């Protein structure tokens, strides 16, 4: 992503540029029915994921993904600095042993929560070195526009969202996504976690569309990389 793109988005809306990235099967699943998603994509695509992390100022995930996958959210497979880690967790369900709260990582982790969260729990998390910030609640959890606004005020120009389905759906529903990167693995698993839930779209004319799209092969996978049309935002 070029600096020009990020700056123009930032000065126009004060919100960071938002990239959503996920790995899906041919039938649009990001995890099996038992919640397993590691690894849907090929090793080459995992490297792409780490390059994308390096190229963004922050990575954001939902608490569901912490509980299912316990990711570190660090840049490992390519050289580069670690972005800020942001976890959306309205009731502070995050385990104190979560990897993003480990000694070397906690200081670069922000837990976005709400007034529903227990104060003693917030103190425990902060003692580990992470920052806990309360935002207004929304029907789905933490108010995403408020979180992105706060990140913008902190001069975070770009955020990559790595799932899961709940956060992806909320962001698309609120038309807060600028770029979508989908790694499509040549696999079919049937019932499982669908990448995108209900968006309330009943007519194809109302579908979210893309203004520019690049498609390429990566190992055994196909990578879709598109900018959402301005009219869909
Ligand atoms: N294939 C991939 O690329 C990929 C990537 C990531 C995850 N996954 C898979 O996805 C699954 C997890 O998906 P998920 O939907 O359960 O988890 P998620 O999107 O990571 O987290 C959803 C949870 O986040 C909290 N939340 C806070 N604010 C929210 C908001 N504004 N909108 C939506 N959620 C908000 C809610 O819990 P509270 O109400 O408690 O706050 C909600 O239940 C796992 O199986 C994981 O392996 C796959």
């Amino acid at each position: 992503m070029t600096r020009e793109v990020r700056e123009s988005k930032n000065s126009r809306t004060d919100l960071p540029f938002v990239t959503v990235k996920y790995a899906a099967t041919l039938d649009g699943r990001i995890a099996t029915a038992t919640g397993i998603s590691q690894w849907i994509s090929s090793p080459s695509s995992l490297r792409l994921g780490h390059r994308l992390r390096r190229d963004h100022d922050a990575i954001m995930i939902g608490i569901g993904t912490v509980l299912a996958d316990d990711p570190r959210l660090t840049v490992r497979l390519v050289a580069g600095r670690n972005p800020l880690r942001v976890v959306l967790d309205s009731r502070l369900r995050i385990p104190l042993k979560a990897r993003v709260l480990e000694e070397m990582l906690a200081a670069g982790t922000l837990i976005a929560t709400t007034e529903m969260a227990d104060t003693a729990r917030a103190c425990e998390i902060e003692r580990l070195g992470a920052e806990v910030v309360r935002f207004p609640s929304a029907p789905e959890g933490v108010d995403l526009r408020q979180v992105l606004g706060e990140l913008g005020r902190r001069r975070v120009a770009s955020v990559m969202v790595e799932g899961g389905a709940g956060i992806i759906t909320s962001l698309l529903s609120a038309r807060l996504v600028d770029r979508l990167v989908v790694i499509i693995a040549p696999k079919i698993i049937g019932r499982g976690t669908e990448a995108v839930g209900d968006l309330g779209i009943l007519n194809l004319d109302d579908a979210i569309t893309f203004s520019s799209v690049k498609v390429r092969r990566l190992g055994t996978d196909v990578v879709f990389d598109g900018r959402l049309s301005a009219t869909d935002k």
Side-chain angles (χ1 to χ4, degrees):
M1 182 190 334
T2 64
R3 178 170 286 278
E4 295 75 49
V5 169
R6 294 194 302 188
E7 282 178 354
S8 65
K9 160 85 188 238
N10 223 14
S11 56
R12 207 176 61 240
T13 66
D14 292 331
L15 299 182
F17 185 94
V18 176
T19 301
V20 166
K21 177 232 124 189
Y22 58 83
T25 58
L26 279 179
D27 48 343
R29 306 289 183 228
I30 60 167
T32 64
T34 52
I36 296 167
S37 67
Q38 291 167 342
W39 301 103
I40 286 178
S41 56
S42 67
S44 318
S45 299
L46 289 181
R47 258 192 307 282
L48 167 66
H50 281 243
R51 268 204 306 282
L52 285 168
R53 283 182 181 177
R54 178 197 62 197
D55 293 345
H56 287 76
D57 293 339
I59 315 173
M60 188 160 83
I61 59 171
I63 183 62
T65 299
V66 174
L67 297 175
D69 302 340
D70 195 15
R72 285 191 181 82
L73 301 181
T74 53
V75 174
R76 298 188 299 279
L77 302 180
V78 297
R81 52 154 192 76
N82 287 330
L84 171 72
R85 290 169 287 278
V86 180
V87 177
L88 299 183
D89 181 6
S90 53
R91 288 163 288 166
L92 294 181
R93 291 191 284 149
I94 189 165
L96 297 178
K97 288 193 175 321
R99 286 181 173 146
V100 292
L101 297 180
E102 279 174 1
E103 202 178 340
M104 302 301 288
L105 301 183
T109 300
L110 185 157
I111 313 294
T113 192
T114 65
E115 288 306 320
M116 287 188 290
D118 180 63
T119 303
R121 183 72 176 171
C123 290
E124 281 183 294
I125 293 167
E126 283 176 331
R127 264 199 295 277
L128 295 174
E131 185 180 5
V132 178
V133 183
R134 290 180 197 262
F135 293 92
S137 302
E140 311 76 29
V142 188
D143 187 321
L144 281 167
R145 200 173 279 277
Q146 297 287 332
V147 175
L148 291 173
E150 174 61 20
L151 294 177
R153 281 190 289 282
R154 293 178 182 214
R155 308 198 66 76
V156 168
S158 58
V159 178
M160 178 161 78
V161 178
E162 292 201 21
I167 302 298
I168 295 169
T169 304
S170 292
L171 283 164
L172 284 171
S173 190
R175 303 297 190 265
L176 286 169
V177 183
D178 297 289
R179 176 186 178 196
L180 183 71
V181 180
V182 183
I183 297 157
I184 304 156
K187 296 174 184 168
I188 292 179
I189 58 173
R191 199 163 62 83
T193 304
E194 53 191 10
V196 183
D198 183 22
L199 296 176
I201 295 175
L202 301 178
N203 287 309
L204 276 177
D205 287 346
D206 299 328
I208 293 172
T209 57
F210 296 83
S211 58
S212 70
V213 170
K214 287 187 207 140
V215 178
R216 65 185 168 110
R217 295 278 306 261
L218 190 55
T220 52
D221 302 331
V222 172
V223 181
F224 170 98
D225 187 341
R227 295 294 171 98
L228 274 74
S229 302
T231 50
D232 292 326
K233 296 174 51 53

